[in-house]
Amino acid sequence: MDAQKPILTTAVPGLPEITPGFKLGAEVCARVDLVDDDILVISQKAVSKAEGRMVSLDSVDPRPEAVRLGSDLGKDPRLVELILAESRVVVRTDLARGIIITETREGFVCANAGIDASNLEDPDSVILLPRDCDQSARLIRAEIEDELGARPAVIISDSFGRAWRHGQVEVALGCAGVEVLDDWRGLPDRNGRILTSTAIGIADQIAAASDLARSKTSGTPVIRIRGLGRFVSRENGPGCRSQLRPPGEDLFR
C-alpha cells in the first residue's frame, strides 16, 4: 500500500546563489530527478530572493508611527516601517522583549510580518515574504512541468514560532498540488466513535519533515520528498490560504 512506503527526504544539491529572476523550477530540474508523486519543499527565502523581495533599509523612510514604535521596542524604525507596510494589523507587541506580532497581508500571524535578515550578506538588507505564496508555488510547479513533463507538488515553507511551545517549526506558507488538510471529522475512529475535530495539517507536517534533511546554514533551500504520493494531486488545489483560521474562530485574539 502507498501508506507503507518509506518516506525519503533528499536535499537538492548545487543550487547557485539566488538572485532576482532566478528560475527555481528549471534549476531544480537540472539537479534532481522528479516524478509526479514527488513533493518539493522550497524555503520561502529562496522564493523571495527569486521574486526580488529583498529591500535595503537605506531605501526606507519611516513614518512617525514607525519611529515611535521602533523607539518603544528598541527596533530600527526602518524595519518597523516595513513590518507595518506588510501587515494588515498589529496583533501584539512585547516592549520588554522587543517583539512585534502582526497579521500579514496574506493572513499569516507571525513575528515581524515574516521579514528576515538571517544569512544575508548585506547587513542593511532584509527579505520580505512573497506577495502570494500559493501563486508562487503554482508558478514553480508549472515551470517544472514545462521542463520535464512531470508535475510534482510544491510547498513553500518558513520557520514560525508557536504560541504554546518553545522552538520554531517549518510550516507551509504556500502550496500547489498537495493536500493541505486531511479532514477526519465525521469519520469513525478505531472504536467506532465519530471524530469531531481531527483535521491533520498535512502540508505543515511535510514542511516540518523537510527541515530535518538540512541545517539552517547548509545552503540547500530545496528538499525532494518521496513516499507521500497519496497526498499529491494533479490539480493545484486551494492552497495554504484554505487552512488559515478566520478571526471569528481565533480564541487567542
Side-chain angles (χ1 to χ4, degrees):
M1 290 176 59
D2 211 5
Q4 297 174 331
K5 287 183 178 180
I7 300 170
L8 305 175
T9 61
T10 304
V12 176
L15 284 171
E17 183 63 29
I18 296 170
T19 55
F22 189 90
K23 298 295 185 183
L24 268 168
E27 292 289 344
V28 169
C29 290
R31 289 166 173 80
V32 67
D33 64 298
L34 295 168
V35 297
D36 286 342
D37 281 355
D38 287 340
I39 302 171
L40 283 177
V41 184
I42 306 174
S43 74
Q44 161 269 317
K45 187 172 289 183
V47 176
S48 291
K49 284 183 176 180
E51 294 181 357
R53 295 285 281 163
M54 291 182 65
V55 177
S56 170
L57 292 178
D58 289 338
S59 68
V60 178
D61 184 17
R63 294 166 291 173
E65 178 186 2
V67 173
R68 288 193 299 271
L69 187 55
S71 177
D72 291 341
L73 294 168
K75 283 185 176 294
D76 188 325
R78 301 172 299 174
L79 174 59
V80 175
E81 174 63 33
L82 289 174
I83 293 169
L84 297 178
E86 291 293 306
S87 301
R88 292 177 183 170
V89 65
V90 174
V91 175
R92 183 166 300 176
T93 60
D94 186 327
L95 302 185
R97 292 184 291 172
I99 295 172
I100 179 168
I101 305 296
T102 74
E103 180 182 339
T104 71
R105 296 194 179 279
E106 265 198 280
F108 305 121
V109 177
C110 56
N112 299 329
I115 297 173
D116 191 10
S118 62
N119 293 322
L120 295 180
E121 293 183 3
D122 183 354
D124 286 323
S125 289
V126 296
I127 193 158
L128 315 182
L129 295 181
R131 287 190 174 88
D132 185 334
C133 293
D134 285 327
Q135 179 64 8
S136 297
R138 295 181 193 115
L139 291 173
I140 292 170
R141 191 184 198 205
E143 188 179 324
I144 292 169
E145 186 175 24
D146 287 344
E147 289 284 324
L148 293 182
R151 194 170 167 82
V154 174
I155 292 174
I156 295 170
S157 73
D158 195 12
S159 296
F160 271 35
R162 297 167 294 167
W164 299 317
R165 300 171 74 93
H166 289 296
Q168 289 78 40
V169 173
E170 287 288 302
V171 300
L173 298 187
C175 66
V178 67
E179 192 171 333
V180 178
L181 295 173
D182 188 9
D183 193 348
W184 284 69
R185 290 172 295 181
L187 299 177
D189 67 9
R190 291 178 62 182
N191 298 308
R193 288 186 290 266
I194 300 301
L195 299 170
T196 60
S197 60
T198 301
I200 301 167
I202 295 297
D204 285 341
Q205 289 188 328
I206 295 170
S210 75
D211 206 34
L212 299 176
R214 62 185 171 209
S215 72
K216 292 300 183 185
T217 58
S218 63
T220 49
V222 182
I223 306 295
R224 183 194 65 191
I225 296 184
R226 283 191 166 163
L228 294 175
R230 65 190 185 276
F231 298 120
V232 177
S233 63
R234 186 137 190 100
E235 297 75 27
N236 284 329
C240 286
R241 283 189 182 179
S242 64
Q243 70 174 329
L244 296 178
R245 194 182 295 277
E249 296 179 9
D250 188 339
L251 301 181
F252 295 88
R253 278 200 277 168

